[in-house]
Amino acid sequence: MLWYKAWLETRSRFLASLATLTLFSAIFVHHAQGLLRPEWKSDFNRLLFINQQFLVIMWVLAVVLLGMGGLIPEKSVGTSSFTLALPVSRARLLGVRVGMGVLEAIVLAVVPWLAVFLVVSLARNRISIIQVVSYILLLVGGGTVYFAMAVLISSLVAGEYAAPAVAYGIVLLTAMLFDAWLVRLTCGDW
Amino acid sequence: MTNDNVIVTQALRKFYGTMEAVRGLHLTVGRNRITAFLGRNGAGKSTTIKMLLGMERPSAGTGTVLGKQITDPEENRELRRRVAYVAEDKPLYGYMTVEQTIRFVRSFYCDWRADIEKRLLQDYELPLHRKVNTLSKGMRTKLSLLLAFARCPELMIVDEPSEGLDPVAIEHLLQALVARSAEGVSVFFSSHQIAEVERVADQVCILEKGRLLVDASMDELRQFYRRIDLVFSSLPPECEFQISGVERIQTSGRQMCVFASSNADAVIQRAHEWNAVSVEVAPVGLREIFLKTVEGN
């Protein structure tokens, strides 16, 4: 039943994120591929790459939101004593929360790309399954770091809004640092 | 710990920063009894309960509940399986419905009684499909009580159980506590409603500023605590009455009021020795014992 609790706690955030990511990907790819000529094969791949860029941003924002929760936020809303009175170890409480978050994060990575796959197939364009799987693995593999960071922050920072604010601040900071590093790398100064 | 005690603490202490919430608490709660835990706001009652249930780690000292060490995470998890707890603020997940909450809590305990759950749902008239965050304070209290009473635990720890309840519900609650005690369940409850405590408690513990000031059975309190009103023909010698068992002395002109936890006969004899004009001895209710005890400290 702890899984059920974790699901109830995150389902609105998860479903809203899933709907946003899926609809965005499907509509973006559907609309953009209509503008391409059939012979522009490299541009079609570039289109999928751009979609992945947008997805990465939205996915990271969504998983940071999914990582929020746990005993510290429960303490601020006054329900932590109810949770802690249950005959369950704190490790299990954390484990279930992380497990549910990771599962939801994987679904958030898979479903939008399935929608893209469907849209592209319906338009009779060719799409490489390996390319889609690579994008999904990149999302989950790299993005889970942000999820772990969100779990850590929500376990350290009290306050319903303070923890997401700090987490998003760190996401922004890392993005800026990564961007600067990329620029220096491509300019050959590194 | 002996089998006669369900809760034993030794020199239990809790610091929050430099503030000492619980100061070397030696507490013993007997089996199959209703033990009331009284104290002002901030006296350390809830902190003590949280330490007993492993929600707060003691800064020092040790304790056992049902023979399990409270500071050992595994043993504490095991004791929580055998204890029913109703927290002070009746915390419940606002996003769950009443039905979901019951289903959720039920899944953790093998001592759940579906028949009691059904009866209490009817008695409390709880709306199964309403979300907890839309319930009134009284309804939330009833739901919290249902979650505790629908089980057959060895020990019930109940923090402010009557908060938000109407008089009829309070009456039912008190009867339920007595019935549970008669079935062999030990009850440890904190309350500010002293009249309720006086009706149902077998044992009373009074906590003030983290220290246990009174730990006595209701019978002992009734038998030994006395208020002795004295009138003298001249200004009374207060220091002459500071004898063993005298907790508090209030003097106003030629009148003196002595509050004694024992040894009332010695006070009366001393009053006669000092030629008291009037000596009136009255038994003291729990309310007065509580007030005199905490105000005296």
Side-chain angles (χ1 to χ4, degrees), chain A residues 1 4-5 9 78 83 86 88, chain B residues 80 91-93 95 100 107:
Chain A
M1 286 301 272
Y4 180 60
K5 171 184 178 280
E9 274 175 352
T83 306
L86 297 169
V88 178
Chain B
R80 291 202 301 273
L92 296 163
Y93 305 129
Y95 51 82
Q100 285 170 336
S107 70

Side-chain angles (χ1 to χ4, degrees), chain B residues 241-252:
Chain B
F241 287 85
Q242 304 218 339
I243 55 179
S244 167
V246 171
E247 301 290 335
R248 207 164 177 208
I249 301 173
Q250 278 180 308
T251 310
S252 172

Side-chain angles (χ1 to χ4, degrees), chain B residues 29-37 177-182 185-189 196-205 215-222 286:
Chain B
V29 176
R31 190 176 287 276
N32 299 345
R33 293 169 74 83
I34 300 180
T35 304
F37 199 34
L177 284 176
V178 173
R180 274 307 170 91
S181 176
V185 177
S186 310
V187 179
F188 182 59
F189 81 108
E196 296 168 9
V197 172
E198 202 160 18
R199 277 185 53 197
V200 299
D202 301 311
Q203 187 84 11
V204 174
C205 300
D215 182 4
S217 71
M218 277 305 294
D219 291 338
E220 286 170 339
L221 294 179
R222 288 188 188 110
L286 183 59

Side-chain angles (χ1 to χ4, degrees), chain A residues 84-161:
Chain A
L84 289 173
L86 297 169
V88 178
S89 67
R90 292 181 187 221
R92 179 139 186 262
L93 287 171
L94 181 67
V96 169
R97 192 165 73 80
V98 170
M100 178 58 75
V102 169
L103 281 179
E104 288 174 340
I106 291 170
V107 172
L108 279 185
V110 172
V111 172
W113 273 111
L114 277 180
V116 169
F117 192 80
L118 202 70
V119 166
V120 172
S121 301
L122 284 173
R124 293 174 189 276
N125 271 323
R126 286 183 64 193
I127 180 167
S128 160
I129 292 182
I130 293 171
Q131 188 184 4
V132 170
V133 170
S134 310
Y135 281 147
I136 290 172
L137 288 178
L138 275 173
L139 263 185
V140 176
T144 309
V145 174
Y146 286 100
F147 175 75
M149 180 270 296
V151 171
L152 179 67
I153 285 172
S154 76
S155 304
L156 295 174
V157 180
E160 205 173 344
Y161 302 106

